[in-house]
Amino acid sequence: MRTILDNITGEARRGELVAILGSSGAGKSTLLNCLSGRLNTGTLTGSITFAGRRRERSTWKSVSAFVEQDDALYPNMTVRETLRTAAYLRLPSSRYTRDEKNAQAEAIIKSLRLTKAADTRIGDGLKRGVSGGERKRAAIGQELVGSPDVLFLDEPTSGLDSNSAYAVIENVRSEAVRTGRVVVLTIHQPSIEVLYLFSKVVLLSEGATVFFGPPDDALAHFEQLGLPCPPKRNPADFFLDILTIDHDLESEPARIRALHDAYRGLEKERKLESGAFSGEIEDVDVFDAREEPLGGWANSWWEETGILYRRAWTEIFRNRPLIIAEFAQTIIVMLVMGLAFLRLDNDTRGIQNRAGILFFWPINQVSL
């Protein structure tokens, strides 16, 4: 049996932005899925605690949110409509009125600096809409309207230029500090400006931790190991060079094991200095206790169905090429079928033909 993650430990406190860094195949996405409760395969051992208690799957989705790497947004909806729809779905009507849900969406628009793009459609590859950075912030805003205590982001800067990437991470960090939210994200190769927005970094290699802590402490740790960061070098690139293993070299596995052992030794020293060492390093995430989250769905089945129905119809009616194509297709099929079955005789063959068209027409409509 293959071990993908091994002896991962750490903590995240409110208002902190924690980044998971590593080369491809290091286990970044697997660790993020473990923490977010999205891991559906394999065997997971250890403990993940929230607010001083073991994480409960029944309520975890009520206090956490996950933003996918690929944004799933409706291209014909505006940013404001997108966030309002998310607020209608995520905020319980038993606690919030419709006006309060709208106000929550407006607050997120303002905090993520989306005011200028609020009434712009999202757009897609065929239709021009918001910019890449604004699209990513809208996707993040969809999750923030539910006021999650913990926010997970999978490669939030993927496909963005350096300025847009910095704007996205800076907005997320400001929101985390303002609300006391914990943010955990994976990122591949951040710029130096983005790197120093992170409170802590988790450096992974071959599924194990090479370092966990502030970026400057990571540089000091590697310098003590005889691996100083060259001048004028982006520390993030320096970290990736250390973490990347060349499987063609026989010495590489031993080098990575030495880095793992060095961090375990540092971790034990930290525990001894804090007086918390008990012979075993535990995986404990420390959070301040807050109001007990609600379990179950935020709104009734009928209410959510109505919200989704309105969103679907808005998307369809704004897609004029699709409406024209569907209408033209219906007219063409109607004419073809009408001509094919024109002037049927009132005999056995005519009855069979009429039965055929009564069967074919509903099947054709369903498949459109």
Side-chain angles (χ1 to χ4, degrees):
M1 181 182 294
R2 180 187 176 189
T3 301
I4 299 177
L5 296 175
D6 183 29
N7 195 29
I8 304 294
T9 65
E11 67 174 9
R13 299 180 181 273
R14 291 195 177 277
E16 288 187 343
L17 186 62
V18 180
I20 304 172
L21 280 79
S23 58
S24 299
K28 302 188 300 296
S29 296
T30 303
L31 177 57
L32 193 71
N33 288 332
C34 287
L35 296 175
S36 60
R38 295 165 59 92
L39 190 66
N40 298 320
T41 59
T43 302
L44 179 63
T45 60
S47 64
I48 300 174
T49 62
F50 174 76
R53 298 183 296 274
R54 186 177 293 273
R55 184 186 66 184
E56 295 291 339
R57 288 187 176 274
S58 59
T59 58
W60 184 239
K61 288 186 177 181
S62 300
V63 298
S64 65
F66 191 99
V67 180
E68 299 275 2
Q69 180 177 349
D70 297 323
D71 308 324
L73 302 174
Y74 285 79
N76 291 301
M77 301 280 286
T78 66
V79 172
R80 176 174 281 110
E81 290 170 338
T82 298
L83 267 62
R84 284 188 174 185
T85 300
Y88 299 154
L89 290 170
R90 297 178 184 275
L91 299 178
S93 298
S94 59
R95 290 186 177 182
Y96 299 86
T97 64
R98 191 175 185 86
D99 289 339
E100 288 173 337
K101 292 181 179 182
N102 289 337
Q104 175 71 355
E106 293 299 323
I108 296 299
I109 289 173
K110 183 178 180 181
S111 66
L112 293 181
R113 302 174 188 175
L114 288 169
T115 304
K116 291 184 177 179
D119 295 314
T120 304
R121 295 186 186 182
I122 298 296
D124 55 15
L126 299 177
K127 295 181 180 179
R128 186 176 179 179
V130 296
S131 66
E134 291 168 340
R135 182 186 180 91
K136 178 61 69 174
R137 279 180 277 165
I140 295 172
Q142 275 194 132
E143 305 299 329
L144 292 182
V145 293
S147 300
D149 290 309
V150 186
L151 178 65
F152 298 99
L153 304 168
D154 186 14
E155 298 281 357
T157 61
S158 177
L160 301 180
D161 60 72
S162 59
N163 289 333
S164 298
Y166 179 84
V168 168
I169 300 300
E170 197 276 330
N171 286 159
V172 171
R173 180 179 182 274
S174 300
E175 184 69 9
V177 172
R178 183 182 69 84
T179 60
R181 179 178 292 113
V182 176
V183 179
V184 182
L185 59 90
T186 60
I187 194 166
H188 185 65
Q189 202 167 7
S191 65
I192 187 171
E193 293 83 6
V194 171
L195 177 66
Y196 280 99
L197 291 176
F198 303 138
S199 309
K200 299 173 183 175
V201 293
V202 181
L203 303 182
L204 294 180
S205 181
E206 293 296 290
T209 307
V210 172
F211 186 82
F212 174 72
D216 283 335
D217 290 358
L219 291 173
H221 172 67
F222 289 126
E223 187 169 1
Q224 290 180 352
L225 298 178
L227 298 169
C229 180
K232 300 182 180 180
R233 181 78 185 279
N234 182 357
D237 295 336
F238 170 70
F239 293 153
L240 285 178
D241 287 344
I242 293 176
L243 301 175
T244 303
I245 182 171
D246 187 350
H247 293 281
D248 294 332
L249 299 178
E250 296 182 356
S251 60
E252 284 291 272
R255 180 181 69 85
I256 296 299
R257 283 197 299 270
L259 293 175
H260 294 162
D261 293 339
Y263 175 68
R264 291 190 184 103
L266 175 64
E267 201 170 29
K268 290 181 180 180
E269 292 179 5
R270 290 173 174 175
K271 291 289 183 178
L272 288 171
E273 291 176 358
S274 64
F277 182 67
S278 61
E280 181 179 359
I281 299 172
E282 297 181 355
D283 179 13
V284 178
D285 296 339
V286 181
F287 295 84
D288 298 325
R290 291 181 66 185
E291 182 181 4
E292 185 68 20
L294 290 175
W297 301 101
N299 300 291
S300 66
W301 184 86
W302 286 105
E303 186 174 359
E304 292 192 357
T305 300
I307 295 170
L308 295 175
Y309 183 84
R310 288 192 296 272
R311 181 177 68 178
W313 274 108
T314 300
E315 178 70 17
I316 290 173
F317 279 117
R318 288 181 180 175
N319 193 344
R320 292 186 178 180
L322 177 63
I323 294 175
I324 294 173
E326 292 283 354
F327 183 77
Q329 183 179 5
T330 301
I331 296 297
I332 293 172
V333 171
M334 180 182 67
L335 292 175
V336 170
M337 293 181 63
L339 294 174
F341 294 94
L342 184 64
R343 298 178 181 178
L344 296 177
D345 296 328
N346 295 325
D347 53 10
T348 303
R349 178 175 295 181
I351 294 174
Q352 291 177 344
N353 289 335
R354 288 183 176 89
I357 193 174
L358 291 176
F359 172 79
F360 179 77
W361 182 261
I363 295 299
N364 179 73
Q365 292 300 110
V366 170
S367 63
L368 289 178

